[in-house]
Amino acid sequence: MFRFMIANFALLTAFLFLFNLLFRHYLKKPSRPLQFKLLIGVLHGLCALLLLLFSYKVSPNIMIDFRHIIVICSAYFGGLPASLMTVLFIVIARTTLFGEFTLTTIAACITIITAGIGSGLIMQYIDQYWRRWLLSLLLSLTLISIASLLMGPSLDKVSYTALFTYMALIGSGGLFSARLIAFFTYSNQLGQELENSERRYRSLHMLQEAIFQSSAGTVITVFNIEGKITHINKAVETVLGYSPDTLIGRETPLLFHDKEEISVYAGELSSLTHKPYNGLDVFKYCAMEQPPEGREWSYIHKDGSRLTVLLVVTPLWLDGEITGFIGTATDITERKKMENTLQQLSLMDGLTNIANRRYFDETLEKEWKRAQRSGSPEGLSLIMFDIDYFKAYNDLYGHQAGDECLRKIALLGKDAVRRPSDLIARYGGEEFAVILPDTNRTGALALAEKLRAAVENEKLSHAGSRISGMVTISIGVSHCLPHTGASAEQLIAEADQALYYSKAAGRNRVNDYRAILEQAAD
């Protein structure tokens, strides 16, 4: 008997392994179509036929095997339709292929049909896994017991012993099958979760790669602690002219950057922190200490041209440790050009196309501080001049002619002021100013006279002038040594006062503040 039951057990276990292997993807779905449930019933019915082949015959008409367990398994996987299909296979085989058609055969068929219907309903309406299995096993054992009592007169002591042993094997085999199926279900869930995780990982990786590669004007560089490039996106080819594959393993700080620019900033950091800094240390400092908006740097294209980038460096963390850094460099060359253009426009006088008052103030402050630092013996000079009787010119010729006169005077001033370091600006209305760095009093007076003569020699008609029939200018000059304690405001005030004296003295002349002081002293 045990040899036949072991064979049944081996067949049942092998079938459950094979069934799970073939249909685990379908078994993961919560809802299963009727066709699949019927297929489950057919497959379990075929397994039941094999179990019948290895049945143990207690008597010519009484056979014991694991058919009840396979019916419960069929009910678990496919519900009532599957269990009924399996029972149909068993009934047909039991009545036609195995043994004679007797009352015992009828009782066995009724028992298995009832077990199939009951197991199918239990599996359909009971939610808790082990409760379903225990109730189904209890139903089968109860039905087997009832059938055994009905067949009592025809059974001897040996047959009863075999039946009781069979019932014990059914119970233990059913529990083993339940545990095996639970293991398969758990393994399938883990496999599904692993597949989902891998799918999410691949999707995330593809998304990250798409984002990494999609930035057309942004070079994203990943480099390790030693500064070696480990990843770089395709934008480096369009922005800097390098093929990404040729850059892997190379050192990033000195590859694209202006070495002198890095050296200068490293020196600034060393002075600030009192620690030595080299090229790679600069970028580590940028990643750990600078705000996230980054810093502007100059990049060198493969062809040697320069571009401006906004570089943001962030640390790359892994398991609580910094394993590298990510540099995101956005090409802002065109934006910087536009900003410079706009800045220049904001500092230019729209009418005369020379510097405006704002540019004058900024330049004077800058040159004053520079002169203070350098201690130049030539000092700093300032010329201020305006057009004589310009209101009368406007009243006589109109504002359009007045604007044209201002443009002409500005052009004459630009022609006279030739040094790159000098600046001529429209100070306000018809008043102009010229900043002369590293220029002594004699040089400033000479340039002032040159300006006055250039305007007079242009012979611009001015019928409203009280001193001449032509346009003329009055000029005031001041000079000082910034490192001696004077101020830029004082320099402006002295030039303005000298201009006032030029007007008071008859206009169309140059006056020097120092000469005014000397005359007052006399």
Side-chain angles (χ1 to χ4, degrees), residues 320-342:
E321 295 184 359
I322 297 178
T323 59
F325 300 89
I326 302 175
T328 305
T330 304
D331 184 4
I332 58 171
T333 305
E334 294 302 320
R335 191 184 83 185
K336 291 299 293 183
K337 289 180 180 179
M338 185 175 295
E339 287 178 356
N340 291 336
T341 301
L342 291 174

Side-chain angles (χ1 to χ4, degrees), residues 413-458:
K414 287 173 67 176
D415 289 340
V417 180
R418 294 297 183 90
R419 290 193 313 176
S421 59
D422 299 341
L423 176 74
I424 181 170
R426 185 182 179 191
Y427 194 74
E430 73 276 17
E431 191 171 7
F432 297 82
V434 181
I435 300 174
L436 302 171
D438 297 317
T439 303
N440 56 28
R441 177 190 178 198
T442 302
L445 287 171
L447 180 60
E449 180 56 31
K450 180 180 178 182
L451 271 169
R452 188 203 64 76
V455 173
E456 186 177 39
N457 294 335
E458 191 66 20

